Amino acid sequence: MKIVMLGAPGAGKGTQAINIAKEYDIPHVSTGDIFRANIKNGTELGMKAKEYMDKGALVPDEVTIGMLLDRISEPDCKNGYVLDGFPRTIPQAESLRKALTEKGDKLDVAVNIEVPDAVIEERMSGRRACLKCGATYHVVYTPPKKEGICDNCGSELVQRADDKPETVKARLATYHEQTQPLIDFYKKEGILKEVDGTQSPSDVFKAVMEALS
Ligand code: ADP
Ligand code: ADP
Ligand code: ZN
């Protein structure tokens, strides 16, 4: 199963991608997580990405596309994957399609998690992230069992630097301008499924599983 998650920042892509990855036993591939791991390790790629991430802008396609295509050519991706945060631009989607077509392969489903901007701003302000395993929580909606600690791996949770309100506004503008057109792109490909992301996380997951079946 090769799945793409679409949706605004904070729509719940990561939350659902982790569930899907467990259900289908495929890797959860998050470009945001890959960039954050590089920033943490002080790599050149990380330093370059951080410049853009801090502003709420997209990391340039020249950097992002090669990185993602390398990742999905690793052996653990051979039976499929769930892409979270990629593609985010039309050129990214076209490059992915081309790379798959060359191998006689294709995506199975693009799931769009639909959430209005007003709800997003509230979700982002309460988001807490585990930089070690990629799990996310919300201080009100989906709190961890022990405050500030990841249920999954026991690491300390942090508020992401780019989740402050000014940056969230910039990221939403970036989303509407550069990423939203992908909804039509995948509709034309005939693989788009829409899910109402304003329901509880478990109801969203039910709807996602229906969309995938
Ligand atoms: P969110 O979970 O809020 O959608 P991500 O963790 O996916 O955010 O991404 C964080 C930031 O990393 C983005 O705002 C952007 O700067 C950068 N980024 C992640 N994926 C991509 C991508 N496919 N193309 C360009 N930039 C990306
Ligand atoms: P994305 O990967 O699309 O940026 P996340 O999965 O990180 O989004 O979710 C953003 C924030 O909203 C997190 O704090 C998460 O715990 C919370 N969240 C995710 N899904 C829901 C939901 N259905 N209802 C309420 N809060 C949610
Ligand atoms: Zn963790």
Side-chain angles (χ1 to χ4, degrees), residues 65-162:
I65 292 171
M67 179 184 87
L68 185 279
L69 295 181
D70 283 349
R71 174 66 189 93
I72 61 173
S73 57
E74 284 174 30
D76 65 324
C77 287
K78 77 174 186 311
N79 294 325
Y81 38 76
V82 48
L83 300 185
D84 163 17
F86 187 99
R88 260 184 157 97
T89 65
I90 295 282
Q92 289 181 13
E94 282 170 344
S95 302
L96 176 62
R97 181 171 61 188
K98 182 161 172 277
L100 288 170
T101 308
E102 278 167 5
K103 289 193 283 188
D105 207 350
K106 59 174 181 47
L107 290 172
D108 295 292
V109 191
V111 180
N112 181 43
I113 305 185
E114 185 61 52
V115 174
D117 286 7
V119 178
I120 297 284
E121 294 185 28
E122 189 193 347
R123 279 193 189 175
M124 301 298 248
S125 61
R127 172 155 69 180
R128 296 293 179 272
C130 174
L131 296 184
K132 184 149 184 234
C133 77
T136 56
Y137 301 87
H138 188 282
V139 290
V140 179
Y141 306 124
T142 55
K145 292 196 184 77
K146 185 160 180 248
E147 199 187 316
I149 302 294
C150 179
D151 290 350
N152 211 24
C153 74
S155 300
E156 207 165 313
L157 300 176
V158 297
Q159 179 158 31
R160 274 169 45 180
D162 59 349

Side-chain angles (χ1 to χ4, degrees), residues 35 38-39 42-52:
F35 287 134
N38 275 277
I39 293 172
T43 69
E44 203 174 310
L45 173 75
M47 279 168 356
K48 181 148 197 196
K50 189 174 187 305
E51 255 177 72
Y52 297 92

